[in-house]
Amino acid sequence: MMLADMGAEVIRVERAGAATIVPEPRFDVLARSRRSIAVDLKRAQGVRIVLDLVAGADGLFEGYRPGVLERLGLGPGVLLEHNPRLVVGRMTGFGQQGPLAGAPGHDIDYTAMSGALHAIGPQGGPPAVPLNLVADFGGGGMLLAFGMVCALLEATRSGRGQVVDAAMIDGATAFTRIRRSASSAASALVRAATAALLAV
Protein backbone atom coordinates (compact mmCIF):
# COMPACT_ATOMS: atom_id res chain seq x y z
CA MET A 1 0.00 0.00 0.00
CA MET A 2 2.78 2.45 0.94
CA LEU A 3 4.69 1.84 -2.30
CA ALA A 4 1.53 2.02 -4.39
CA ASP A 5 0.54 5.29 -2.70
CA MET A 6 3.92 6.73 -3.73
CA GLY A 7 3.30 5.87 -7.38
CA ALA A 8 4.75 2.37 -7.74
CA GLU A 9 2.89 -0.05 -10.00
CA VAL A 10 2.06 -2.90 -7.64
CA ILE A 11 0.50 -6.18 -8.75
CA ARG A 12 -0.83 -8.41 -6.01
CA VAL A 13 -0.59 -12.14 -6.76
CA GLU A 14 -3.45 -13.90 -5.01
CA ARG A 15 -4.20 -17.57 -4.59
CA ALA A 16 -6.59 -18.81 -7.25
CA GLY A 17 -9.99 -19.55 -5.74
CA ALA A 18 -9.14 -18.10 -2.32
CA ALA A 19 -11.77 -16.17 -0.42
CA THR A 20 -10.88 -12.54 0.17
CA ILE A 21 -10.68 -11.11 3.69
CA VAL A 22 -12.85 -8.16 2.67
CA PRO A 23 -15.99 -9.36 0.79
CA GLU A 24 -16.32 -6.09 -1.15
CA PRO A 25 -13.02 -5.20 -2.89
CA ARG A 26 -13.97 -1.52 -2.94
CA PHE A 27 -13.77 -1.53 0.88
CA ASP A 28 -10.30 -3.12 0.99
CA VAL A 29 -8.36 0.03 1.89
CA LEU A 30 -5.02 -1.81 2.05
CA ALA A 31 -5.39 -2.93 -1.57
CA ARG A 32 -5.89 0.55 -2.97
CA SER A 33 -3.88 1.78 -5.94
CA ARG A 34 -2.95 -1.72 -7.11
CA ARG A 35 -4.17 -4.44 -9.39
CA SER A 36 -4.33 -8.13 -8.54
CA ILE A 37 -4.22 -11.42 -10.40
CA ALA A 38 -5.21 -14.90 -9.24
CA VAL A 39 -2.53 -17.53 -9.83
CA ASP A 40 -2.21 -21.20 -8.86
CA LEU A 41 1.43 -21.38 -7.77
CA LYS A 42 1.22 -25.16 -7.37
CA ARG A 43 1.05 -25.51 -11.15
CA ALA A 44 3.96 -24.96 -13.53
CA GLN A 45 1.92 -22.46 -15.52
CA GLY A 46 1.37 -20.34 -12.39
CA VAL A 47 5.09 -20.34 -11.60
CA ARG A 48 5.84 -19.25 -15.18
CA ILE A 49 3.39 -16.35 -14.86
CA VAL A 50 5.22 -15.08 -11.78
CA LEU A 51 8.62 -15.50 -13.41
CA ASP A 52 7.39 -13.52 -16.43
CA LEU A 53 6.24 -10.73 -14.12
CA VAL A 54 9.53 -10.82 -12.20
CA ALA A 55 11.56 -10.45 -15.39
CA GLY A 56 10.42 -6.85 -15.74
CA ALA A 57 9.93 -5.96 -12.09
CA ASP A 58 12.02 -3.91 -9.67
CA GLY A 59 10.95 -5.84 -6.59
CA LEU A 60 8.92 -8.72 -5.23
CA PHE A 61 7.87 -9.29 -1.66
CA GLU A 62 6.29 -12.28 -0.01
CA GLY A 63 5.01 -13.30 3.40
CA TYR A 64 5.10 -17.09 3.39
CA ARG A 65 6.59 -19.18 6.18
CA PRO A 66 10.27 -20.02 5.65
CA GLY A 67 10.85 -22.53 2.85
CA VAL A 68 7.45 -22.21 1.15
CA LEU A 69 8.66 -19.97 -1.67
CA GLU A 70 11.55 -22.34 -2.33
CA ARG A 71 9.19 -25.35 -2.46
CA LEU A 72 7.09 -23.54 -5.04
CA GLY A 73 10.18 -23.14 -7.23
CA LEU A 74 10.34 -19.39 -6.66
CA GLY A 75 13.13 -19.04 -4.11
CA PRO A 76 15.38 -15.95 -4.17
CA GLY A 77 18.06 -17.78 -6.19
CA VAL A 78 15.59 -18.58 -8.98
CA LEU A 79 14.10 -15.07 -8.92
CA LEU A 80 17.49 -13.33 -9.06
CA GLU A 81 18.55 -15.62 -11.88
CA HIS A 82 15.59 -14.36 -13.92
CA ASN A 83 16.25 -10.74 -12.95
CA PRO A 84 19.64 -9.90 -11.35
CA ARG A 85 18.43 -6.38 -10.46
CA LEU A 86 15.42 -7.67 -8.51
CA VAL A 87 14.94 -6.78 -4.84
CA VAL A 88 13.29 -9.68 -3.01
CA GLY A 89 11.52 -8.69 0.21
CA ARG A 90 10.67 -11.44 2.67
CA MET A 91 8.36 -11.06 5.66
CA THR A 92 8.23 -13.58 8.48
CA GLY A 93 7.16 -13.61 12.10
CA PHE A 94 10.28 -15.09 13.68
CA GLY A 95 12.86 -14.97 10.86
CA GLN A 96 14.03 -17.43 8.21
CA GLN A 97 16.01 -19.56 10.67
CA GLY A 98 15.97 -20.47 14.34
CA PRO A 99 13.84 -22.53 16.69
CA LEU A 100 10.64 -20.56 16.06
CA ALA A 101 11.13 -19.94 12.32
CA GLY A 102 8.32 -22.33 11.32
CA ALA A 103 6.04 -21.58 14.25
CA PRO A 104 2.71 -19.82 13.74
CA GLY A 105 2.38 -16.44 15.35
CA HIS A 106 0.35 -13.26 15.50
CA ASP A 107 1.06 -9.62 16.19
CA ILE A 108 0.37 -10.03 19.90
CA ASP A 109 2.96 -12.83 20.11
CA TYR A 110 5.74 -10.79 18.51
CA THR A 111 4.82 -7.69 20.50
CA ALA A 112 4.84 -9.63 23.79
CA MET A 113 8.03 -11.58 23.12
CA SER A 114 9.87 -8.38 22.14
CA GLY A 115 9.01 -6.79 25.49
CA ALA A 116 7.01 -4.00 23.86
CA LEU A 117 3.65 -5.22 25.22
CA HIS A 118 4.89 -4.95 28.82
CA ALA A 119 5.50 -1.23 28.35
CA ILE A 120 2.01 -0.44 27.00
CA GLY A 121 -0.77 0.32 29.47
CA PRO A 122 -1.03 1.70 33.01
CA GLN A 123 1.81 0.95 35.41
CA GLY A 124 0.92 -2.01 37.60
CA GLY A 125 -2.04 -2.88 35.41
CA PRO A 126 -2.55 -5.31 32.54
CA PRO A 127 -1.01 -4.42 29.17
CA ALA A 128 -3.17 -2.69 26.60
CA VAL A 129 -3.24 -4.57 23.31
CA PRO A 130 -2.17 -2.11 20.56
CA LEU A 131 -4.28 -3.74 17.83
CA ASN A 132 -1.86 -5.13 15.22
CA LEU A 133 0.06 -1.89 14.82
CA VAL A 134 3.36 -2.66 16.56
CA ALA A 135 4.56 -5.88 14.91
CA ASP A 136 2.40 -6.46 11.81
CA PHE A 137 2.17 -2.95 10.39
CA GLY A 138 5.04 -1.11 12.04
CA GLY A 139 7.71 -3.68 12.81
CA GLY A 140 6.82 -5.74 9.76
CA GLY A 141 5.29 -3.79 6.89
CA MET A 142 6.85 -0.36 7.43
CA LEU A 143 10.34 -1.69 8.11
CA LEU A 144 10.17 -4.04 5.13
CA ALA A 145 9.02 -1.17 2.89
CA PHE A 146 11.92 0.97 4.17
CA GLY A 147 14.40 -1.86 3.60
CA MET A 148 13.11 -2.44 0.09
CA VAL A 149 13.38 1.23 -0.83
CA CYS A 150 17.00 1.23 0.42
CA ALA A 151 17.75 -1.89 -1.65
CA LEU A 152 16.02 -0.42 -4.71
CA LEU A 153 18.23 2.67 -4.44
CA GLU A 154 21.29 0.43 -4.22
CA ALA A 155 20.13 -1.55 -7.26
CA THR A 156 19.92 1.64 -9.35
CA ARG A 157 23.59 2.31 -8.53
CA SER A 158 25.09 -1.17 -8.64
CA GLY A 159 22.72 -2.96 -11.01
CA ARG A 160 22.50 -5.81 -8.48
CA GLY A 161 19.45 -6.89 -6.58
CA GLN A 162 19.41 -8.47 -3.14
CA VAL A 163 17.22 -10.12 -0.52
CA VAL A 164 15.69 -7.96 2.23
CA ASP A 165 14.56 -10.10 5.15
CA ALA A 166 12.24 -8.61 7.79
CA ALA A 167 10.99 -10.44 10.87
CA MET A 168 8.10 -8.90 12.78
CA ILE A 169 9.62 -9.81 16.15
CA ASP A 170 12.83 -7.97 15.19
CA GLY A 171 10.86 -4.89 14.13
CA ALA A 172 8.82 -4.87 17.34
CA THR A 173 12.05 -5.21 19.34
CA ALA A 174 13.59 -2.28 17.44
CA PHE A 175 10.68 -0.09 18.54
CA THR A 176 11.52 -0.73 22.21
CA ARG A 177 15.01 0.77 21.92
CA ILE A 178 13.93 4.30 22.77
CA ARG A 179 12.29 3.07 25.96
CA ARG A 180 15.34 1.07 26.91
CA SER A 181 17.60 4.01 26.11
CA ALA A 182 15.43 6.34 28.19
CA SER A 183 15.40 3.86 31.09
CA SER A 184 19.19 3.53 30.93
CA ALA A 185 19.61 7.31 30.82
CA ALA A 186 17.23 7.77 33.77
CA SER A 187 19.08 5.11 35.77
CA ALA A 188 22.39 6.83 35.03
CA LEU A 189 20.98 10.18 36.22
CA VAL A 190 19.70 8.62 39.45
CA ARG A 191 23.09 7.01 40.10
CA ALA A 192 24.90 10.29 39.42
CA ALA A 193 22.54 12.27 41.67
CA THR A 194 22.87 9.68 44.45
CA ALA A 195 26.64 9.76 44.20
CA ALA A 196 26.61 13.58 44.34
CA LEU A 197 24.40 13.56 47.45
CA LEU A 198 26.60 11.00 49.20
CA ALA A 199 29.66 13.08 48.41
CA VAL A 200 28.23 16.17 50.19
Side-chain angles (χ1 to χ4, degrees):
M1 182 189 75
M2 299 295 295
L3 296 173
D5 283 349
M6 295 305 291
E9 181 185 2
V10 179
I11 300 173
R12 180 175 171 176
V13 178
E14 302 191 58
R15 186 185 311 159
T20 58
I21 296 173
V22 181
E24 283 281 342
R26 62 194 172 110
F27 295 128
D28 190 355
V29 177
L30 297 178
R32 67 177 181 246
S33 305
R34 53 187 156 145
R35 296 177 291 154
S36 67
I37 59 170
V39 178
D40 185 353
L41 292 177
K42 294 183 178 178
R43 301 182 62 177
Q45 181 184 10
V47 171
R48 281 196 302 274
I49 289 171
V50 172
L51 290 176
D52 287 343
L53 287 170
V54 161
D58 295 313
L60 174 144
F61 51 96
E62 57 95 8
Y64 292 116
R65 286 194 197 173
V68 172
L69 202 64
E70 286 81 354
R71 287 197 297 274
L72 291 170
L74 291 168
V78 174
L79 296 172
L80 288 166
E81 186 178 316
H82 274 73
N83 182 351
R85 296 175 60 94
L86 187 73
V87 172
V88 181
R90 310 193 81 177
M91 173 69 67
T92 60
F94 296 107
Q96 296 290 336
Q97 299 174 342
L100 293 176
H106 300 280
D107 180 275
I108 189 86
D109 302 320
Y110 317 129
T111 305
M113 292 176 74
S114 71
L117 188 62
H118 175 73
I120 302 172
Q123 188 172 2
V129 179
L131 302 175
N132 61 339
L133 304 177
V134 175
D136 284 356
F137 286 107
M142 289 293 284
L143 287 186
L144 178 59
F146 173 72
M148 290 199 60
V149 168
C150 291
L152 288 165
L153 284 171
E154 168 59 22
T156 62
R157 295 182 180 135
S158 67
R160 293 192 306 270
Q162 60 181 291
V163 177
V164 178
D165 192 1
M168 288 180 263
I169 192 167
D170 292 341
T173 301
F175 289 160
T176 67
R177 287 182 188 147
I178 189 167
R179 178 175 172 78
R180 290 178 180 149
S181 297
S183 297
S184 299
S187 298
L189 283 172
V190 169
R191 284 196 301 273
T194 302
L197 287 171
L198 291 174
V200 172

